[in-house]
Amino acid sequence: MPVTLLSVQKVAVRYGAIQAVENAELAVAAGEIVTLLGANGAGKSSLLNACMGLVPLAGGQVHFDGQRISGTRTEHVVRRGMTLTPEGRRVFPGLSVADNLAIGAAASPQLRRETAARRTEMYDLFPRLHERQKQLAGTLSGGEQQMLAIARSLMSNPKLLLLDEPSLGLAPNIVDQIFDIIAALRARGVTILLVEQNAELALDIADRGYVLAGGRIVLSGTPGELRASGLERVYLGAH
Ligand code: ATP
């Protein structure tokens, strides 16, 4: 039996009167790519942010790698081995590629000691970043910034990477490159929870998926099951 890395139980997220996530149940096993699908505003980012401790839970629990992490600080979550590449490629524009990467290893003294070695691994995985290591992140192309954002998350050597909309706003050929990288990461032993609006693309590489609509998980299953169960209706709000 594969080890369950992430377990989300009855999670709720509220922003004042807005109920962004309700009673969400989700699990990710080691070695899987799991995708979380849903239309704009369905609550996908809120659920990822709740797992990371970036927004408080209004209910429920999150366990990671056998420990309860809900209620702990984000730094602790990162040190335990889970990181998030947030939506919108939030790199530090005024810092070089190399310095942006170094920040990704800042969560603990041990990670800081491993900065140089991890950076070499990242340059191996992303040759484009190697070529541009001294360039200011703000002057990179959109695709390069997305690569940097992913590489920065990987600097903490995560067991589980949460990826929030990596394809957003990128040209199709760059999106293909990013998805090739996601597949390569899994081959290197990184487990991935992928939030995507582009369902087709995500289902092509995922082992399993969940669909959020109006803050609730309304469907889950293998890509084949999800494709067969009228995903489009969910997106159009028929559930
Ligand atoms: P998108 O694909 O557009 O990023 P999403 O599925 O990630 O959407 P969320 O960003 O989690 O959805 O938003 C879920 C709901 O919570 C939306 O109605 C959104 O407006 C609301 N929301 C998100 N963040 C906040 C906030 N900080 N304050 C108030 N409401 C928020």
Side-chain angles (χ1 to χ4, degrees):
M1 270 297 279
V3 182
T4 301
L5 261 190
L6 179 70
S7 163
V8 168
Q9 295 152 331
K10 295 188 175 14
V11 160
V13 178
R14 291 192 193 108
Y15 305 105
I18 296 171
Q19 178 95 47
V21 179
E22 257 180 281
N23 210 23
E25 301 263 338
L26 174 154
V28 181
E32 280 190 306
I33 297 182
V34 173
T35 185
L36 179 59
L37 305 170
N40 275 322
K44 305 177 302 292
S45 299
S46 298
L47 186 50
L48 292 193
N49 290 337
C51 290
M52 289 301 297
L54 291 165
V55 297
L57 297 190
Q61 294 189 1
V62 180
H63 285 81
F64 175 70
D65 205 12
Q67 275 194 359
R68 182 175 165 164
I69 51 160
S70 37
T72 66
R73 297 213 318 260
T74 302
E75 255 177 77
H76 172 77
V77 175
V78 172
R79 282 199 293 266
R80 292 283 309 157
M82 177 158 81
T83 53
L84 167 71
T85 308
E87 191 176 342
R89 320 193 265 279
R90 279 182 241 135
V91 296
F92 296 98
L95 296 181
S96 67
V97 166
D99 288 345
N100 266 275
L101 291 178
I103 287 172
S108 74
Q110 195 199 331
L111 285 171
R112 284 197 290 277
R113 280 194 295 276
E114 292 168 1
T115 299
R118 294 289 303 160
R119 208 159 32 196
T120 304
E121 274 183 55
M122 289 306 114
Y123 289 152
D124 184 35
L125 192 58
F126 300 91
R128 185 72 75 88
L129 297 180
H130 191 204
E131 287 162 21
R132 288 158 194 274
Q133 52 185 296
K134 298 205 173 85
Q135 189 170 325
L136 295 185
T139 66
L140 296 172
S141 71
E144 290 162 354
Q145 288 189 13
Q146 184 58 271
M147 289 176 198
L148 178 58
I150 294 172
R152 191 180 61 197
S153 312
L154 293 171
M155 286 293 288
S156 63
N157 202 14
K159 294 182 184 133
L160 174 64
L161 175 64
L162 311 183
L163 270 172
D164 198 350
E165 304 250 13
S167 75
L168 198 70
L170 298 179
N173 64 325
I174 308 290
V175 171
D176 288 346
Q177 284 179 33
I178 299 283
F179 273 69
D180 286 347
I181 288 164
I182 295 171
L185 289 176
R186 189 244 295 266
R188 286 179 172 221
V190 183
T191 303
I192 291 161
L193 177 57
L194 170 67
V195 160
E196 258 298 333
Q197 277 198 46
N198 189 333
E200 273 313 308
L201 208 58
L203 290 175
D204 277 347
I205 61 163
D207 298 299
R208 293 186 305 113
Y210 294 84
V211 180
L212 260 179
R216 293 175 178 273
I217 293 192
V218 293
L219 281 175
S220 65
T222 62
E225 287 165 348
L226 290 177
R227 284 193 176 104
S229 63
L231 210 54
E232 294 81 7
R233 277 195 332 226
V234 176
Y235 274 76
L236 293 171
H239 274 251

